[in-house]
Structures are given as structure tokens and as C-alpha cells.
Amino acid sequence: MTVAAVVVNWQNWPDTKVALNSLLALPEWRTGLLSVCIVDNGSKDGSVEAIQDFVNVVGDERIRLLCSSENRGYAAGCNIGICWAHERSSEFVWLLNNDVELETSALSALIFCAGHRPEVKIWGSTILNASTGELEYAGGGYYNPWLSLQRSSRGNTDAPLDFIYGAAMFVRADVFTQFGLMNEKLFLYYEELDLICRMGSDSNIAWCEQSVVRHIGAASSGTDDNSAKLRQFHENLSTFKFTRSHYPYCLPSVVAVRILIKPVLYLARGQWFLITPLVQSLLAAFRE
């Protein structure tokens, strides 16, 4: 069972290095089952040079750096790596955020689960907060299209998951052949939900409990106020685009929730500066 891991970097080489070191520490790397593709999404902070030095030191054709000349979004970065995985005829594509650290058995558990349940097309891992050790996602979660609310599964219910959490998605490669690549119209957020919706009745997703991944969070967009504005703009914009595409009948309620309730929450938290990117995202969504 061959696996290609795809890690997208954007101006965050330190976290990416942690993720890569944990990948190369996996037994599947030593046995030759695992290959690794790092996609740099147009970084201007020296990440490309640092990653290339890392790749050169490893000195193995199974690890590769591919560079985009500009940041066209997370989905576009993933697609570069997915195409590389297809060229290698990998059976599985493991999409990983660059702000994760893998437990030693993270991949072997996924391979075991996939081998015993071949009908499952996408597996999610147990996602723990890297700082506190608390459970963030038991594989994935649930989605309310009327309110555009995502809720984490905590592993204590038999309800089928609506999506696999995008920080660690273990996907059978033929999913992308059958249903297409990640949706590049979504610059950031909702990529995993969009893929599941496009799969429709063929979607079969599950949680591999023994596969443990530690998640740092916010690595792709930073933690300051400007980064918060960027996250809110893209989260709201992707919400409107996703809803219009897959749940058009829910669009009025989603717009109402975002425009009427979110500003109140922003003000209550002292984040009044997030109202502007919310309005900008609404205008951008309906200009398209």
C-alpha cells in the first residue's frame, strides 16, 4: 500500500520542518511505502530555500519540493501535490496541514483501517491540540447548512460524520480521479466539505481512532489582527461560495446569520475590526 503525503507551506518553514521531521520518522518512510511532497505556495520569507536545503540533506527521490509562483490558495497547493502523487501511482494521498506533528503509529493505523475497510474512501485521524493535548476532532465533524455551523465530533456518538477534518485527510487516490481535484474556487476553508458534497452518495468516510495527529493551529494565516482579518474574510467568502454551490436554498439564512449575528459576536469580543472583512467577503461573493 503506497502513500504520498502532501504538505502545503506558506511562509511558515519552522512548523513545516516539524511536520516533515515527524513524517520522516514514520516506519513507512524507512520501509519505502511513504513518499512526501512539499508544495510551497508562493512564500517570500525564505521558506523555499530552507525546504530545498532540507530535501537536499535527506537526499532521497521520494521527497520532493514543488513551488508555485504565487499563493493561489490551499486547494490549489494541494492539487499540485495530488498530481505528483498520481504520477507516482500512489494508492493513497495523505493531505496534511503544515502545522501538525504525527505520532509514530499515525500512518500504520490508517493503513490498517484502510486495509480492513476498503469501502471507506476518506479516513480522518484523532486530532489533538498540540499545546493542551485535548481532543479537537475525532476524525471530523458535523455541518448545519442552514446556519453554516461546523461542529466537531468528540467520538461519543454513532452518527455518521459529515466531513473529515482537513488537517489530516487520508484519501484513496481514485477519489480524485473519479470526483476531481480540490476546489480551487475556495481559497481557504471548506475544501473538505466541498469534496464530500461532490462525492454525494458515494461518500464513505470514517474515523481511525488509533491514528493520532497533534495540531498547532493558525499556522497557515498567522495569529495577529491582520491575520485574523484575512482568516475571517476567507472563511466568510468560502462559506457563501460553498453554500451557493451545494445548499442554495440555505443561502438566505446563511447570509442573515453572518450579517446579523456575527457582528454582535465580534463586538462582544472586542473584535470590531472583523466587521469590515465580513462585509467585504459578502460583496466579493456576490460580484462573482
Side-chain angles (χ1 to χ4, degrees), residues 246-288:
H246 296 289
Y247 298 98
Y249 49 88
C250 296
L251 190 57
S253 69
V254 167
V255 171
V257 166
R258 296 273 162 163
I259 296 300
L260 298 178
I261 297 178
K262 268 210 161 188
V264 176
L265 297 177
Y266 292 153
L267 292 172
R269 297 169 185 162
Q271 297 176 311
W272 55 267
F273 57 89
L274 296 181
I275 295 176
T276 297
L278 168 61
V279 174
Q280 290 172 335
S281 68
L282 180 64
L283 295 174
F286 290 95
R287 277 199 302 264
E288 295 185 5

Side-chain angles (χ1 to χ4, degrees), residues 4-10 16 20 35-43 47-49 51-53 55-56 61-73 76-88:
V6 175
V7 179
V8 177
N9 175 79
W10 182 68
T16 299
L20 293 177
S35 57
V36 178
C37 181
I38 311 105
V39 179
D40 184 80
N41 238 357
S43 296
S47 283
V48 172
E49 294 77 10
I51 295 172
Q52 189 60 62
D53 287 344
V55 171
N56 292 341
E61 62 88 22
R62 289 177 298 141
I63 183 169
R64 179 79 177 274
L65 168 64
L66 299 176
C67 299
S68 174
S69 59
E70 60 180 330
N71 185 0
R72 296 188 293 112
C78 285
N79 287 341
I80 293 172
I82 292 168
C83 291
W84 181 82
H86 281 313
E87 291 174 2
R88 295 183 62 85

Side-chain angles (χ1 to χ4, degrees), residues 61-249:
E61 62 88 22
R62 289 177 298 141
I63 183 169
R64 179 79 177 274
L65 168 64
L66 299 176
C67 299
S68 174
S69 59
E70 60 180 330
N71 185 0
R72 296 188 293 112
Y74 182 70
C78 285
N79 287 341
I80 293 172
I82 292 168
C83 291
W84 181 82
H86 281 313
E87 291 174 2
R88 295 183 62 85
S89 300
S90 302
E91 297 171 77
F92 285 85
V93 180
W94 199 12
L95 298 177
L96 296 168
N97 278 13
N98 71 319
D99 58 349
V100 299
E101 187 172 10
L102 311 169
E103 296 277 315
T104 305
S105 60
L107 180 53
S108 57
L110 287 166
I111 291 174
F112 178 85
C113 286
H116 282 73
R117 292 186 61 187
E119 76 280 4
V120 176
K121 297 181 183 297
I122 305 178
W123 287 93
S125 298
T126 298
I127 309 295
L128 303 180
N129 183 286
S131 298
T132 65
E134 295 179 355
L135 177 68
E136 290 186 355
Y137 284 88
Y142 312 105
Y143 184 69
N144 182 325
W146 293 99
L147 301 177
S148 65
L149 290 179
Q150 299 182 29
R151 179 169 59 90
S152 167
S153 166
R154 297 295 179 177
N156 56 1
T157 177
D158 293 327
L161 297 171
D162 291 331
F163 64 91
I164 295 298
Y165 185 51
M169 296 177 63
F170 192 67
V171 188
R172 293 187 184 273
D174 59 7
V175 165
F176 300 112
T177 303
Q178 185 176 357
F179 300 102
L181 298 173
M182 306 297 279
N183 186 354
E184 297 187 13
K185 292 181 179 179
L186 303 172
F187 187 89
L188 191 62
Y189 301 112
Y190 280 85
E191 303 93 349
E192 62 269 66
L193 264 167
D194 177 83
L195 178 60
I196 298 301
C197 285
R198 285 189 283 125
M199 292 169 68
S201 60
D202 288 325
S203 65
N204 196 328
I205 61 179
W207 169 38
C208 180
E209 183 175 0
Q210 292 72 30
S211 175
V212 179
V213 174
R214 299 186 181 276
H215 183 223
I216 298 170
S220 62
S221 53
T223 57
D224 58 15
D225 286 355
N226 286 331
S227 298
K229 290 179 184 179
L230 181 68
R231 284 198 303 276
Q232 285 299 308
F233 174 80
H234 286 298
E235 194 275 335
N236 286 301
L237 179 58
S238 291
T239 298
F240 295 137
K241 287 183 176 182
F242 171 80
T243 302
R244 186 170 57 193
S245 177
H246 296 289
Y247 298 98
Y249 49 88

